[in-house]
Amino acid sequence: QMKSWDLLRARFKSDDVDMAFVMSPLAMDMYHENPTFRWIGLMHRDGNALAINDLIKNKIQLPKLRADRKPDASIANAIKEIRLTTGAPIPIGLPHLLATHTVVLYRYLKQYGASMNSARHSTADVFATAVPPQKAPAFIKGKSNRAEAAGFEQSLPWADVVETGNFGHIGWYSKDVMPWPNGHVECIAVATNTAIANKYSATQEVMSYIHQAGRDIEAARISGGEDLQQIIDIVTRYIPSHTPAAIKASLDPSLKVINYQNLNIDKAGLKLIMDWAVEGKILHNSINIDEFADLRFNQADESNDNLGVINK
């Protein structure tokens, strides 16, 4: 709900903020700059997707079923072909250059011999540009109106907003580019050292309810009906641009392209993201993950064997 990730970064430095919900590479960069906070848990796993407009989609055979849309070479080859034809890199909107999404996109493009750069006039195949998530649908629609090939990689359900609105297409999901047990690390929860020291019980309480919310979402996704509708109503109340159709599509239990299970700290999972980010020069420095992580906030009811059941 902040206007930008840079505003969140600046606001988190202020004395009146205790916790934040941050994309993992951005959080690691913030920690390297000023290690006055700790990582206390995950907010979700997996959960972002590449959306493309018709100028890219028309050059490939995109499977009708979203479950069949895997990160093969087709989109990367189409991007390289358009780059050669137009002489300009293909713009792909990301929530921030220090986003997990950027890391996923880098890994995908590298796998198929394509390149990206954040400089508009580079010789790279992709121009990686920061686009606020809420403006991503308008970004891809505007490029299409000007007959320009473009895409965005954003958190769900933004990709489903353009797919269900018939002005964009999901190309692939991040879970298939960055496979990891239980789903790759995405957004994380962080708390200041001051809050942990002075408001430890309150911080624990917040994290316990984040885990409970995850269980509620997972249970509603499986049961559907009124339970799922209650989740949809909550989301649309606070983020009206997340349409009911897009939310339902993103929570499709047969796809499981975002999940709210296993939200305890996953050091190896964060290291996977960090290593790819450093290799792609998205992050300039690695951090000491053991010092960054505060395992005291792990929840005993982590296993979601009994979805929706609160352990007493």
PDB file of all heavy atoms in Angstrom, residues 253-290:
ATOM      1  N   PRO A 253      -6.228 -23.917  -6.819  1.00  0.00           N
ATOM      2  CA  PRO A 253      -5.504 -24.987  -6.111  1.00  0.00           C
ATOM      3  C   PRO A 253      -4.821 -25.974  -7.046  1.00  0.00           C
ATOM      4  O   PRO A 253      -3.875 -26.665  -6.639  1.00  0.00           O
ATOM      5  CB  PRO A 253      -6.597 -25.666  -5.278  1.00  0.00           C
ATOM      6  CG  PRO A 253      -7.873 -25.338  -5.969  1.00  0.00           C
ATOM      7  CD  PRO A 253      -7.678 -23.981  -6.573  1.00  0.00           C
ATOM      8  N   SER A 254      -5.272 -26.060  -8.280  1.00  0.00           N
ATOM      9  CA  SER A 254      -4.641 -26.986  -9.218  1.00  0.00           C
ATOM     10  C   SER A 254      -3.310 -26.447  -9.742  1.00  0.00           C
ATOM     11  O   SER A 254      -2.469 -27.201 -10.221  1.00  0.00           O
ATOM     12  CB  SER A 254      -5.584 -27.279 -10.393  1.00  0.00           C
ATOM     13  OG  SER A 254      -5.774 -26.123 -11.186  1.00  0.00           O
ATOM     14  N   LEU A 255      -3.114 -25.120  -9.651  1.00  0.00           N
ATOM     15  CA  LEU A 255      -1.863 -24.512 -10.113  1.00  0.00           C
ATOM     16  C   LEU A 255      -0.861 -24.357  -8.973  1.00  0.00           C
ATOM     17  O   LEU A 255       0.325 -24.584  -9.147  1.00  0.00           O
ATOM     18  CB  LEU A 255      -2.140 -23.140 -10.722  1.00  0.00           C
ATOM     19  CG  LEU A 255      -2.858 -23.096 -12.072  1.00  0.00           C
ATOM     20  CD1 LEU A 255      -3.123 -21.648 -12.467  1.00  0.00           C
ATOM     21  CD2 LEU A 255      -2.033 -23.786 -13.141  1.00  0.00           C
ATOM     22  N   LYS A 256      -1.342 -23.901  -7.836  1.00  0.00           N
ATOM     23  CA  LYS A 256      -0.496 -23.635  -6.656  1.00  0.00           C
ATOM     24  C   LYS A 256       0.742 -22.813  -7.041  1.00  0.00           C
ATOM     25  O   LYS A 256       1.883 -23.204  -6.829  1.00  0.00           O
ATOM     26  CB  LYS A 256      -0.077 -24.929  -5.993  1.00  0.00           C
ATOM     27  CG  LYS A 256       0.398 -24.691  -4.547  1.00  0.00           C
ATOM     28  CD  LYS A 256      -0.574 -25.313  -3.568  1.00  0.00           C
ATOM     29  CE  LYS A 256      -0.182 -24.954  -2.149  1.00  0.00           C
ATOM     30  NZ  LYS A 256       0.079 -26.095  -1.303  1.00  0.00           N
ATOM     31  N   VAL A 257       0.503 -21.642  -7.633  1.00  0.00           N
ATOM     32  CA  VAL A 257       1.604 -20.796  -8.107  1.00  0.00           C
ATOM     33  C   VAL A 257       2.015 -19.743  -7.083  1.00  0.00           C
ATOM     34  O   VAL A 257       2.974 -19.004  -7.298  1.00  0.00           O
ATOM     35  CB  VAL A 257       1.230 -20.127  -9.443  1.00  0.00           C
ATOM     36  CG1 VAL A 257       1.198 -21.168 -10.546  1.00  0.00           C
ATOM     37  CG2 VAL A 257      -0.115 -19.402  -9.358  1.00  0.00           C
ATOM     38  N   ILE A 258       1.280 -19.678  -5.983  1.00  0.00           N
ATOM     39  CA  ILE A 258       1.698 -18.905  -4.822  1.00  0.00           C
ATOM     40  C   ILE A 258       1.236 -19.715  -3.620  1.00  0.00           C
ATOM     41  O   ILE A 258       0.202 -20.371  -3.675  1.00  0.00           O
ATOM     42  CB  ILE A 258       1.082 -17.484  -4.813  1.00  0.00           C
ATOM     43  CG1 ILE A 258       1.613 -16.666  -3.625  1.00  0.00           C
ATOM     44  CG2 ILE A 258      -0.448 -17.526  -4.806  1.00  0.00           C
ATOM     45  CD1 ILE A 258       1.239 -15.186  -3.675  1.00  0.00           C
ATOM     46  N   ASN A 259       2.034 -19.726  -2.564  1.00  0.00           N
ATOM     47  CA  ASN A 259       1.569 -20.474  -1.400  1.00  0.00           C
ATOM     48  C   ASN A 259       1.965 -19.782  -0.109  1.00  0.00           C
ATOM     49  O   ASN A 259       2.923 -19.017  -0.054  1.00  0.00           O
ATOM     50  CB  ASN A 259       2.039 -21.934  -1.454  1.00  0.00           C
ATOM     51  CG  ASN A 259       3.440 -22.148  -0.931  1.00  0.00           C
ATOM     52  OD1 ASN A 259       3.654 -22.200   0.280  1.00  0.00           O
ATOM     53  ND2 ASN A 259       4.408 -22.283  -1.841  1.00  0.00           N
ATOM     54  N   TYR A 260       1.184 -20.039   0.918  1.00  0.00           N
ATOM     55  CA  TYR A 260       1.322 -19.390   2.220  1.00  0.00           C
ATOM     56  C   TYR A 260       1.630 -20.420   3.302  1.00  0.00           C
ATOM     57  O   TYR A 260       1.269 -20.253   4.453  1.00  0.00           O
ATOM     58  CB  TYR A 260       0.040 -18.619   2.544  1.00  0.00           C
ATOM     59  CG  TYR A 260      -0.259 -17.553   1.519  1.00  0.00           C
ATOM     60  CD1 TYR A 260      -1.014 -17.849   0.386  1.00  0.00           C
ATOM     61  CD2 TYR A 260       0.242 -16.266   1.657  1.00  0.00           C
ATOM     62  CE1 TYR A 260      -1.276 -16.886  -0.576  1.00  0.00           C
ATOM     63  CE2 TYR A 260      -0.011 -15.295   0.703  1.00  0.00           C
ATOM     64  CZ  TYR A 260      -0.770 -15.607  -0.410  1.00  0.00           C
ATOM     65  OH  TYR A 260      -1.010 -14.645  -1.370  1.00  0.00           O
ATOM     66  N   GLN A 261       2.324 -21.469   2.904  1.00  0.00           N
ATOM     67  CA  GLN A 261       2.739 -22.511   3.834  1.00  0.00           C
ATOM     68  C   GLN A 261       4.237 -22.403   4.096  1.00  0.00           C
ATOM     69  O   GLN A 261       4.972 -21.767   3.347  1.00  0.00           O
ATOM     70  CB  GLN A 261       2.415 -23.894   3.251  1.00  0.00           C
ATOM     71  CG  GLN A 261       0.920 -24.133   3.065  1.00  0.00           C
ATOM     72  CD  GLN A 261       0.643 -25.419   2.320  1.00  0.00           C
ATOM     73  OE1 GLN A 261       0.743 -25.467   1.103  1.00  0.00           O
ATOM     74  NE2 GLN A 261       0.286 -26.461   3.060  1.00  0.00           N
ATOM     75  N   ASN A 262       4.690 -23.042   5.166  1.00  0.00           N
ATOM     76  CA  ASN A 262       6.121 -23.082   5.480  1.00  0.00           C
ATOM     77  C   ASN A 262       6.724 -21.680   5.531  1.00  0.00           C
ATOM     78  O   ASN A 262       7.661 -21.348   4.813  1.00  0.00           O
ATOM     79  CB  ASN A 262       6.860 -23.949   4.458  1.00  0.00           C
ATOM     80  CG  ASN A 262       6.342 -25.368   4.431  1.00  0.00           C
ATOM     81  OD1 ASN A 262       6.558 -26.134   5.363  1.00  0.00           O
ATOM     82  ND2 ASN A 262       5.616 -25.721   3.385  1.00  0.00           N
ATOM     83  N   LEU A 263       6.156 -20.852   6.400  1.00  0.00           N
ATOM     84  CA  LEU A 263       6.555 -19.451   6.478  1.00  0.00           C
ATOM     85  C   LEU A 263       7.666 -19.193   7.489  1.00  0.00           C
ATOM     86  O   LEU A 263       8.028 -18.035   7.715  1.00  0.00           O
ATOM     87  CB  LEU A 263       5.336 -18.577   6.813  1.00  0.00           C
ATOM     88  CG  LEU A 263       4.190 -18.622   5.796  1.00  0.00           C
ATOM     89  CD1 LEU A 263       3.078 -17.664   6.216  1.00  0.00           C
ATOM     90  CD2 LEU A 263       4.671 -18.308   4.389  1.00  0.00           C
ATOM     91  N   ASN A 264       8.204 -20.249   8.079  1.00  0.00           N
ATOM     92  CA  ASN A 264       9.367 -20.061   8.942  1.00  0.00           C
ATOM     93  C   ASN A 264      10.589 -19.692   8.111  1.00  0.00           C
ATOM     94  O   ASN A 264      10.624 -19.887   6.894  1.00  0.00           O
ATOM     95  CB  ASN A 264       9.657 -21.327   9.747  1.00  0.00           C
ATOM     96  CG  ASN A 264       8.754 -21.459  10.961  1.00  0.00           C
ATOM     97  OD1 ASN A 264       8.129 -20.490  11.393  1.00  0.00           O
ATOM     98  ND2 ASN A 264       8.680 -22.664  11.503  1.00  0.00           N
ATOM     99  N   ILE A 265      11.612 -19.190   8.777  1.00  0.00           N
ATOM    100  CA  ILE A 265      12.846 -18.777   8.105  1.00  0.00           C
ATOM    101  C   ILE A 265      13.459 -19.946   7.341  1.00  0.00           C
ATOM    102  O   ILE A 265      13.533 -21.064   7.842  1.00  0.00           O
ATOM    103  CB  ILE A 265      13.824 -18.197   9.145  1.00  0.00           C
ATOM    104  CG1 ILE A 265      13.386 -16.768   9.504  1.00  0.00           C
ATOM    105  CG2 ILE A 265      15.262 -18.223   8.643  1.00  0.00           C
ATOM    106  CD1 ILE A 265      14.117 -16.174  10.680  1.00  0.00           C
ATOM    107  N   ASP A 266      13.879 -19.676   6.115  1.00  0.00           N
ATOM    108  CA  ASP A 266      14.486 -20.673   5.237  1.00  0.00           C
ATOM    109  C   ASP A 266      15.830 -20.096   4.768  1.00  0.00           C
ATOM    110  O   ASP A 266      15.904 -19.410   3.744  1.00  0.00           O
ATOM    111  CB  ASP A 266      13.546 -20.945   4.056  1.00  0.00           C
ATOM    112  CG  ASP A 266      14.101 -21.945   3.047  1.00  0.00           C
ATOM    113  OD1 ASP A 266      15.259 -22.379   3.202  1.00  0.00           O
ATOM    114  OD2 ASP A 266      13.374 -22.273   2.088  1.00  0.00           O
ATOM    115  N   LYS A 267      16.886 -20.357   5.537  1.00  0.00           N
ATOM    116  CA  LYS A 267      18.192 -19.761   5.226  1.00  0.00           C
ATOM    117  C   LYS A 267      18.715 -20.205   3.871  1.00  0.00           C
ATOM    118  O   LYS A 267      19.226 -19.397   3.088  1.00  0.00           O
ATOM    119  CB  LYS A 267      19.203 -20.123   6.316  1.00  0.00           C
ATOM    120  CG  LYS A 267      18.951 -19.476   7.672  1.00  0.00           C
ATOM    121  CD  LYS A 267      20.085 -19.862   8.626  1.00  0.00           C
ATOM    122  CE  LYS A 267      19.849 -19.344  10.027  1.00  0.00           C
ATOM    123  NZ  LYS A 267      20.960 -19.731  10.935  1.00  0.00           N
ATOM    124  N   ALA A 268      18.614 -21.500   3.584  1.00  0.00           N
ATOM    125  CA  ALA A 268      19.119 -22.001   2.300  1.00  0.00           C
ATOM    126  C   ALA A 268      18.323 -21.408   1.144  1.00  0.00           C
ATOM    127  O   ALA A 268      18.878 -21.116   0.078  1.00  0.00           O
ATOM    128  CB  ALA A 268      19.046 -23.524   2.274  1.00  0.00           C
ATOM    129  N   GLY A 269      17.007 -21.233   1.349  1.00  0.00           N
ATOM    130  CA  GLY A 269      16.181 -20.635   0.308  1.00  0.00           C
ATOM    131  C   GLY A 269      16.556 -19.194   0.043  1.00  0.00           C
ATOM    132  O   GLY A 269      16.561 -18.739  -1.113  1.00  0.00           O
ATOM    133  N   LEU A 270      16.871 -18.439   1.100  1.00  0.00           N
ATOM    134  CA  LEU A 270      17.297 -17.057   0.908  1.00  0.00           C
ATOM    135  C   LEU A 270      18.664 -17.008   0.245  1.00  0.00           C
ATOM    136  O   LEU A 270      18.921 -16.144  -0.606  1.00  0.00           O
ATOM    137  CB  LEU A 270      17.336 -16.318   2.249  1.00  0.00           C
ATOM    138  CG  LEU A 270      17.606 -14.812   2.131  1.00  0.00           C
ATOM    139  CD1 LEU A 270      16.444 -14.091   1.460  1.00  0.00           C
ATOM    140  CD2 LEU A 270      17.884 -14.190   3.497  1.00  0.00           C
ATOM    141  N   LYS A 271      19.543 -17.943   0.596  1.00  0.00           N
ATOM    142  CA  LYS A 271      20.876 -17.969  -0.030  1.00  0.00           C
ATOM    143  C   LYS A 271      20.763 -18.217  -1.531  1.00  0.00           C
ATOM    144  O   LYS A 271      21.535 -17.657  -2.329  1.00  0.00           O
ATOM    145  CB  LYS A 271      21.757 -19.029   0.620  1.00  0.00           C
ATOM    146  CG  LYS A 271      23.199 -19.019   0.116  1.00  0.00           C
ATOM    147  CD  LYS A 271      24.056 -20.030   0.845  1.00  0.00           C
ATOM    148  CE  LYS A 271      25.525 -19.899   0.445  1.00  0.00           C
ATOM    149  NZ  LYS A 271      25.754 -20.062  -1.010  1.00  0.00           N
ATOM    150  N   LEU A 272      19.802 -19.055  -1.946  1.00  0.00           N
ATOM    151  CA  LEU A 272      19.592 -19.279  -3.375  1.00  0.00           C
ATOM    152  C   LEU A 272      19.309 -17.964  -4.085  1.00  0.00           C
ATOM    153  O   LEU A 272      19.908 -17.659  -5.128  1.00  0.00           O
ATOM    154  CB  LEU A 272      18.422 -20.251  -3.579  1.00  0.00           C
ATOM    155  CG  LEU A 272      17.992 -20.488  -5.025  1.00  0.00           C
ATOM    156  CD1 LEU A 272      18.996 -21.377  -5.745  1.00  0.00           C
ATOM    157  CD2 LEU A 272      16.596 -21.101  -5.078  1.00  0.00           C
ATOM    158  N   ILE A 273      18.399 -17.170  -3.524  1.00  0.00           N
ATOM    159  CA  ILE A 273      18.065 -15.878  -4.127  1.00  0.00           C
ATOM    160  C   ILE A 273      19.271 -14.951  -4.095  1.00  0.00           C
ATOM    161  O   ILE A 273      19.586 -14.273  -5.083  1.00  0.00           O
ATOM    162  CB  ILE A 273      16.872 -15.231  -3.391  1.00  0.00           C
ATOM    163  CG1 ILE A 273      15.636 -16.148  -3.431  1.00  0.00           C
ATOM    164  CG2 ILE A 273      16.554 -13.863  -3.986  1.00  0.00           C
ATOM    165  CD1 ILE A 273      15.090 -16.428  -4.804  1.00  0.00           C
ATOM    166  N   MET A 274      19.960 -14.907  -2.965  1.00  0.00           N
ATOM    167  CA  MET A 274      21.113 -14.018  -2.822  1.00  0.00           C
ATOM    168  C   MET A 274      22.212 -14.350  -3.828  1.00  0.00           C
ATOM    169  O   MET A 274      22.773 -13.451  -4.475  1.00  0.00           O
ATOM    170  CB  MET A 274      21.666 -14.098  -1.400  1.00  0.00           C
ATOM    171  CG  MET A 274      22.857 -13.184  -1.139  1.00  0.00           C
ATOM    172  SD  MET A 274      23.458 -13.255   0.575  1.00  0.00           S
ATOM    173  CE  MET A 274      24.268 -14.865   0.586  1.00  0.00           C
ATOM    174  N   ASP A 275      22.518 -15.631  -3.986  1.00  0.00           N
ATOM    175  CA  ASP A 275      23.602 -16.019  -4.892  1.00  0.00           C
ATOM    176  C   ASP A 275      23.292 -15.643  -6.333  1.00  0.00           C
ATOM    177  O   ASP A 275      24.165 -15.154  -7.069  1.00  0.00           O
ATOM    178  CB  ASP A 275      23.871 -17.519  -4.774  1.00  0.00           C
ATOM    179  CG  ASP A 275      24.528 -17.905  -3.450  1.00  0.00           C
ATOM    180  OD1 ASP A 275      24.989 -16.994  -2.733  1.00  0.00           O
ATOM    181  OD2 ASP A 275      24.585 -19.114  -3.144  1.00  0.00           O
ATOM    182  N   TRP A 276      22.055 -15.877  -6.767  1.00  0.00           N
ATOM    183  CA  TRP A 276      21.677 -15.485  -8.127  1.00  0.00           C
ATOM    184  C   TRP A 276      21.678 -13.962  -8.278  1.00  0.00           C
ATOM    185  O   TRP A 276      22.057 -13.433  -9.336  1.00  0.00           O
ATOM    186  CB  TRP A 276      20.308 -16.059  -8.486  1.00  0.00           C
ATOM    187  CG  TRP A 276      20.357 -17.468  -8.959  1.00  0.00           C
ATOM    188  CD1 TRP A 276      20.046 -18.597  -8.251  1.00  0.00           C
ATOM    189  CD2 TRP A 276      20.759 -17.922 -10.258  1.00  0.00           C
ATOM    190  NE1 TRP A 276      20.222 -19.719  -9.023  1.00  0.00           N
ATOM    191  CE2 TRP A 276      20.662 -19.336 -10.259  1.00  0.00           C
ATOM    192  CE3 TRP A 276      21.185 -17.275 -11.417  1.00  0.00           C
ATOM    193  CZ2 TRP A 276      20.973 -20.105 -11.371  1.00  0.00           C
ATOM    194  CZ3 TRP A 276      21.503 -18.038 -12.532  1.00  0.00           C
ATOM    195  CH2 TRP A 276      21.399 -19.429 -12.507  1.00  0.00           C
ATOM    196  N   ALA A 277      21.263 -13.257  -7.238  1.00  0.00           N
ATOM    197  CA  ALA A 277      21.237 -11.794  -7.292  1.00  0.00           C
ATOM    198  C   ALA A 277      22.646 -11.217  -7.399  1.00  0.00           C
ATOM    199  O   ALA A 277      22.884 -10.262  -8.148  1.00  0.00           O
ATOM    200  CB  ALA A 277      20.526 -11.239  -6.066  1.00  0.00           C
ATOM    201  N   VAL A 278      23.580 -11.797  -6.664  1.00  0.00           N
ATOM    202  CA  VAL A 278      24.967 -11.326  -6.729  1.00  0.00           C
ATOM    203  C   VAL A 278      25.567 -11.654  -8.092  1.00  0.00           C
ATOM    204  O   VAL A 278      26.247 -10.821  -8.707  1.00  0.00           O
ATOM    205  CB  VAL A 278      25.801 -11.940  -5.586  1.00  0.00           C
ATOM    206  CG1 VAL A 278      27.286 -11.641  -5.775  1.00  0.00           C
ATOM    207  CG2 VAL A 278      25.323 -11.405  -4.228  1.00  0.00           C
ATOM    208  N   GLU A 279      25.303 -12.859  -8.595  1.00  0.00           N
ATOM    209  CA  GLU A 279      25.823 -13.221  -9.913  1.00  0.00           C
ATOM    210  C   GLU A 279      25.306 -12.268 -10.990  1.00  0.00           C
ATOM    211  O   GLU A 279      26.058 -11.858 -11.878  1.00  0.00           O
ATOM    212  CB  GLU A 279      25.413 -14.649 -10.272  1.00  0.00           C
ATOM    213  CG  GLU A 279      25.896 -15.069 -11.658  1.00  0.00           C
ATOM    214  CD  GLU A 279      25.321 -16.392 -12.119  1.00  0.00           C
ATOM    215  OE1 GLU A 279      25.510 -17.389 -11.408  1.00  0.00           O
ATOM    216  OE2 GLU A 279      24.695 -16.417 -13.204  1.00  0.00           O
ATOM    217  N   GLY A 280      24.028 -11.910 -10.911  1.00  0.00           N
ATOM    218  CA  GLY A 280      23.433 -11.029 -11.916  1.00  0.00           C
ATOM    219  C   GLY A 280      23.683  -9.561 -11.663  1.00  0.00           C
ATOM    220  O   GLY A 280      23.134  -8.706 -12.372  1.00  0.00           O
ATOM    221  N   LYS A 281      24.511  -9.242 -10.650  1.00  0.00           N
ATOM    222  CA  LYS A 281      24.829  -7.858 -10.275  1.00  0.00           C
ATOM    223  C   LYS A 281      23.580  -7.062  -9.909  1.00  0.00           C
ATOM    224  O   LYS A 281      23.524  -5.847 -10.055  1.00  0.00           O
ATOM    225  CB  LYS A 281      25.622  -7.164 -11.391  1.00  0.00           C
ATOM    226  CG  LYS A 281      26.978  -7.807 -11.646  1.00  0.00           C
ATOM    227  CD  LYS A 281      27.760  -7.085 -12.735  1.00  0.00           C
ATOM    228  CE  LYS A 281      29.176  -7.607 -12.839  1.00  0.00           C
ATOM    229  NZ  LYS A 281      29.276  -9.061 -13.060  1.00  0.00           N
ATOM    230  N   ILE A 282      22.573  -7.788  -9.451  1.00  0.00           N
ATOM    231  CA  ILE A 282      21.370  -7.144  -8.911  1.00  0.00           C
ATOM    232  C   ILE A 282      21.677  -6.684  -7.496  1.00  0.00           C
ATOM    233  O   ILE A 282      21.319  -5.574  -7.100  1.00  0.00           O
ATOM    234  CB  ILE A 282      20.189  -8.130  -8.965  1.00  0.00           C
ATOM    235  CG1 ILE A 282      19.888  -8.495 -10.425  1.00  0.00           C
ATOM    236  CG2 ILE A 282      18.952  -7.565  -8.274  1.00  0.00           C
ATOM    237  CD1 ILE A 282      19.120  -9.788 -10.596  1.00  0.00           C
ATOM    238  N   LEU A 283      22.357  -7.547  -6.739  1.00  0.00           N
ATOM    239  CA  LEU A 283      22.945  -7.178  -5.453  1.00  0.00           C
ATOM    240  C   LEU A 283      24.450  -7.049  -5.638  1.00  0.00           C
ATOM    241  O   LEU A 283      25.068  -7.893  -6.297  1.00  0.00           O
ATOM    242  CB  LEU A 283      22.669  -8.251  -4.401  1.00  0.00           C
ATOM    243  CG  LEU A 283      21.339  -8.255  -3.658  1.00  0.00           C
ATOM    244  CD1 LEU A 283      21.274  -9.459  -2.727  1.00  0.00           C
ATOM    245  CD2 LEU A 283      21.130  -6.972  -2.878  1.00  0.00           C
ATOM    246  N   HIS A 284      25.028  -6.026  -5.050  1.00  0.00           N
ATOM    247  CA  HIS A 284      26.476  -5.845  -5.176  1.00  0.00           C
ATOM    248  C   HIS A 284      27.241  -6.560  -4.069  1.00  0.00           C
ATOM    249  O   HIS A 284      28.450  -6.789  -4.191  1.00  0.00           O
ATOM    250  CB  HIS A 284      26.815  -4.354  -5.171  1.00  0.00           C
ATOM    251  CG  HIS A 284      26.231  -3.596  -6.328  1.00  0.00           C
ATOM    252  ND1 HIS A 284      26.556  -3.869  -7.637  1.00  0.00           N
ATOM    253  CD2 HIS A 284      25.311  -2.609  -6.363  1.00  0.00           C
ATOM    254  CE1 HIS A 284      25.884  -3.073  -8.440  1.00  0.00           C
ATOM    255  NE2 HIS A 284      25.111  -2.304  -7.696  1.00  0.00           N
ATOM    256  N   ASN A 285      26.545  -6.897  -3.011  1.00  0.00           N
ATOM    257  CA  ASN A 285      27.204  -7.553  -1.879  1.00  0.00           C
ATOM    258  C   ASN A 285      26.323  -8.644  -1.304  1.00  0.00           C
ATOM    259  O   ASN A 285      25.093  -8.520  -1.288  1.00  0.00           O
ATOM    260  CB  ASN A 285      27.503  -6.542  -0.764  1.00  0.00           C
ATOM    261  CG  ASN A 285      28.354  -5.378  -1.230  1.00  0.00           C
ATOM    262  OD1 ASN A 285      27.832  -4.317  -1.552  1.00  0.00           O
ATOM    263  ND2 ASN A 285      29.665  -5.578  -1.276  1.00  0.00           N
ATOM    264  N   SER A 286      26.949  -9.712  -0.846  1.00  0.00           N
ATOM    265  CA  SER A 286      26.215 -10.722  -0.093  1.00  0.00           C
ATOM    266  C   SER A 286      26.167 -10.293   1.371  1.00  0.00           C
ATOM    267  O   SER A 286      26.863  -9.358   1.776  1.00  0.00           O
ATOM    268  CB  SER A 286      26.886 -12.090  -0.238  1.00  0.00           C
ATOM    269  OG  SER A 286      28.223 -12.028   0.227  1.00  0.00           O
ATOM    270  N   ILE A 287      25.342 -10.976   2.152  1.00  0.00           N
ATOM    271  CA  ILE A 287      25.261 -10.674   3.579  1.00  0.00           C
ATOM    272  C   ILE A 287      25.452 -11.968   4.368  1.00  0.00           C
ATOM    273  O   ILE A 287      25.418 -13.067   3.795  1.00  0.00           O
ATOM    274  CB  ILE A 287      23.905 -10.036   3.961  1.00  0.00           C
ATOM    275  CG1 ILE A 287      22.749 -11.029   3.719  1.00  0.00           C
ATOM    276  CG2 ILE A 287      23.677  -8.733   3.215  1.00  0.00           C
ATOM    277  CD1 ILE A 287      21.438 -10.620   4.369  1.00  0.00           C
ATOM    278  N   ASN A 288      25.632 -11.840   5.652  1.00  0.00           N
ATOM    279  CA  ASN A 288      25.718 -13.004   6.541  1.00  0.00           C
ATOM    280  C   ASN A 288      24.289 -13.380   6.940  1.00  0.00           C
ATOM    281  O   ASN A 288      23.677 -12.716   7.793  1.00  0.00           O
ATOM    282  CB  ASN A 288      26.562 -12.673   7.775  1.00  0.00           C
ATOM    283  CG  ASN A 288      26.787 -13.892   8.654  1.00  0.00           C
ATOM    284  OD1 ASN A 288      25.899 -14.724   8.836  1.00  0.00           O
ATOM    285  ND2 ASN A 288      27.984 -13.994   9.221  1.00  0.00           N
ATOM    286  N   ILE A 289      23.757 -14.401   6.320  1.00  0.00           N
ATOM    287  CA  ILE A 289      22.364 -14.780   6.557  1.00  0.00           C
ATOM    288  C   ILE A 289      22.154 -15.274   7.982  1.00  0.00           C
ATOM    289  O   ILE A 289      21.090 -15.056   8.576  1.00  0.00           O
ATOM    290  CB  ILE A 289      21.913 -15.820   5.513  1.00  0.00           C
ATOM    291  CG1 ILE A 289      21.879 -15.168   4.123  1.00  0.00           C
ATOM    292  CG2 ILE A 289      20.541 -16.385   5.859  1.00  0.00           C
ATOM    293  CD1 ILE A 289      21.556 -16.123   2.992  1.00  0.00           C
ATOM    294  N   ASP A 290      23.158 -15.935   8.567  1.00  0.00           N
ATOM    295  CA  ASP A 290      23.029 -16.403   9.953  1.00  0.00           C
ATOM    296  C   ASP A 290      22.805 -15.236  10.911  1.00  0.00           C
ATOM    297  O   ASP A 290      22.033 -15.337  11.872  1.00  0.00           O
ATOM    298  CB  ASP A 290      24.273 -17.184  10.371  1.00  0.00           C
ATOM    299  CG  ASP A 290      24.366 -18.538   9.688  1.00  0.00           C
ATOM    300  OD1 ASP A 290      23.306 -19.119   9.407  1.00  0.00           O
ATOM    301  OD2 ASP A 290      25.492 -18.997   9.432  1.00  0.00           O
TER     302      ASP A 290
END
